[in-house]
Amino acid sequence: MSFEGSTLVDWTAFTQARSLLGAGFVRILGYFREDGVKSVLAIEQAMRSGSAAAMVIPAHTLKGEARQFGAEPLADLAESIEEIARDCVEIRDTPEQAMEHVAKLRPLFEQTLALLEREANPIVERKPANGGLGGFGRRPVTFGRG
């Protein structure tokens, strides 16, 4: 599953979360990383062991935390896994039908997390909107002597 960076994250929701969380934003994003790694691993292990019940909580957790940062495709995938797992628990079945979703989960989580962390990093060099050109696009912006 490959997404363009612009479709992996709702940047409006991301910006709102960043604004609401203020100075704690980077710390909370770190918790998302830690919890997400644990949730993905737990879901994969539950899939291998055929335990739908063991998938429910980590999928639910990942869904909620992903939505907090505007990571809608990741949240939607986790929600699909959660729903399949809940249905399987109810009818006492194994979660084979979640296999395709679970296989997509780790790559999507890693791609999404990389985007979120890159955008949250205050040190990342960002390209100027005007391509580095000075006023009216005539002269490159330089520092020092030029």
Side-chain angles (χ1 to χ4, degrees):
M1 178 177 266
S2 178
F3 289 96
E4 293 297 317
S6 63
T7 62
L8 282 180
V9 177
D10 174 348
W11 295 112
T12 302
F14 175 87
T15 302
Q16 288 173 343
R18 178 184 247 168
S19 177
L20 287 171
L21 296 171
F25 179 79
V26 173
R27 180 175 42 85
I28 304 283
L29 185 58
Y31 295 153
F32 172 63
R33 169 186 266 289
E34 291 173 17
D35 293 347
V37 167
K38 290 176 188 174
S39 292
V40 170
L41 182 61
I43 291 166
E44 290 170 341
Q45 289 174 336
M47 186 75 236
R48 281 191 288 279
S49 69
S51 174
M55 283 183 180
V56 174
I57 291 174
H60 180 79
T61 300
L62 185 59
K63 172 188 72 178
E65 291 182 354
R67 285 212 201 289
Q68 176 180 346
F69 290 103
E72 294 303 321
L74 179 60
D76 291 345
L77 184 60
E79 183 174 32
S80 294
I81 293 168
E82 179 188 5
E83 289 173 357
I84 291 168
R86 286 183 188 280
D87 289 346
C88 289
V89 167
E90 201 158 303
I91 62 172
R92 296 191 172 129
D93 196 5
T94 55
E96 280 83 23
Q97 57 188 302
M99 179 71 77
E100 183 179 336
H101 300 296
V102 173
K104 294 175 183 177
L105 187 61
R106 181 174 295 277
L108 181 56
F109 172 73
E110 290 173 353
Q111 289 174 339
T112 303
L113 185 62
L115 282 173
L116 293 172
E117 289 180 334
R118 185 185 75 209
E119 189 62 28
N121 185 345
I123 300 172
V124 171
E125 183 180 329
R126 307 220 193 299
K127 287 186 178 180
N130 64 0
L133 298 176
F136 303 106
R138 294 186 189 172
R139 213 171 136 179
V141 175
T142 58
F143 297 96
R145 296 182 182 183

